[in-house]
Amino acid sequence: KAAAPPAAVAGDRAVAYWLFGCGGLVAGMVSVGGLTRLTRSGLSMTDWKLQGGLPPMNRADWEREFARYKLYPEWQQRQSMTLEEFKYIYAWEYGHRMLGRVVGLAFGLPLAYFWSRGRLTPWLKPRAMALLGLGGAQGLIGWWMVRSGLNKDLLPERQKQDVRV
């Protein structure tokens, strides 16, 4: 039973638009994530808050954040970086994390709405829950990568074994 019944496929345009829209958001997330990796921006934010937060808003905040970044092993590879270069990589990482939150909300909130209104087919419900679980797992892996990448106690030999940004 790999395919949904034809009646279910033609049933609800709003659900279809939601799923296609989320697919587009995921494609955007993969692209931004790839660029975040290519710019080596992934460890520029030295904390990971579930709810997120605003980036530094003035020069003093930026200098404080940059000073905190310099306390972590990632700085050892980029010691010639200026504050302006730090702002650039920070923006990539900030955008990546915020987009991840948007993707989670754009999938989870409509999922709850459509489910509560009985607009999801029995065929779609377990698949949607599996996708929600995979998205949540990806967020946890992101948290783990940041946490392990900023751990000062990991030896270089050990770092090769860990999932890292």
Side-chain angles (χ1 to χ4, degrees), residues 106-126:
F107 189 80
L109 294 177
L111 174 62
Y113 174 81
F114 290 136
W115 194 302
S116 70
R117 299 288 189 257
R119 293 175 67 179
L120 299 179
T121 65
W123 179 88
L124 185 56
K125 286 179 179 181

Side-chain angles (χ1 to χ4, degrees), residues 4-63:
V9 174
D12 197 329
R13 279 186 187 220
V15 171
Y17 289 150
W18 161 61
L19 292 173
F20 279 117
C22 286
L25 284 172
V26 169
M29 183 67 176
V30 169
S31 298
V32 171
L35 288 167
T36 300
R37 175 115 184 171
L38 289 173
T39 58
R40 295 175 44 204
S41 304
L43 296 174
S44 58
M45 293 177 70
T46 57
D47 61 354
W48 201 99
K49 299 174 188 162
L50 182 62
Q51 75 282 7
L54 293 174
M57 301 302 272
N58 57 49
R59 182 150 181 96
D61 290 347
W62 276 112
E63 288 174 357

Side-chain angles (χ1 to χ4, degrees), residues 22-147:
C22 286
L25 284 172
V26 169
M29 183 67 176
V30 169
S31 298
V32 171
L35 288 167
T36 300
R37 175 115 184 171
L38 289 173
T39 58
R40 295 175 44 204
S41 304
L43 296 174
S44 58
M45 293 177 70
T46 57
D47 61 354
W48 201 99
K49 299 174 188 162
L50 182 62
Q51 75 282 7
L54 293 174
M57 301 302 272
N58 57 49
R59 182 150 181 96
D61 290 347
W62 276 112
E63 288 174 357
R64 195 169 22 260
E65 190 67 30
F66 192 34
R68 188 164 57 179
Y69 174 71
K70 290 177 181 180
L71 298 174
Y72 289 92
E74 191 71 10
W75 169 251
Q76 299 307 314
Q77 300 170 18
R78 308 180 86 166
Q79 291 185 7
S80 63
M81 180 186 297
T82 66
L83 179 60
E84 291 306 311
E85 291 168 328
F86 175 71
K87 287 179 180 181
Y88 176 78
I89 67 166
Y90 190 98
W92 273 111
E93 177 62 7
Y94 183 80
H96 181 61
R97 291 185 189 190
M98 295 311 287
L99 183 55
R101 290 174 177 94
V102 167
V103 171
L105 291 173
F107 189 80
L109 294 177
L111 174 62
Y113 174 81
F114 290 136
W115 194 302
S116 70
R117 299 288 189 257
R119 293 175 67 179
L120 299 179
T121 65
W123 179 88
L124 185 56
K125 286 179 179 181
R127 288 160 177 82
M129 292 306 294
L131 289 173
L132 183 67
L134 288 171
Q138 184 59 48
L140 287 174
I141 290 170
W143 167 81
W144 176 35
M145 289 174 70
V146 170
R147 182 133 174 127

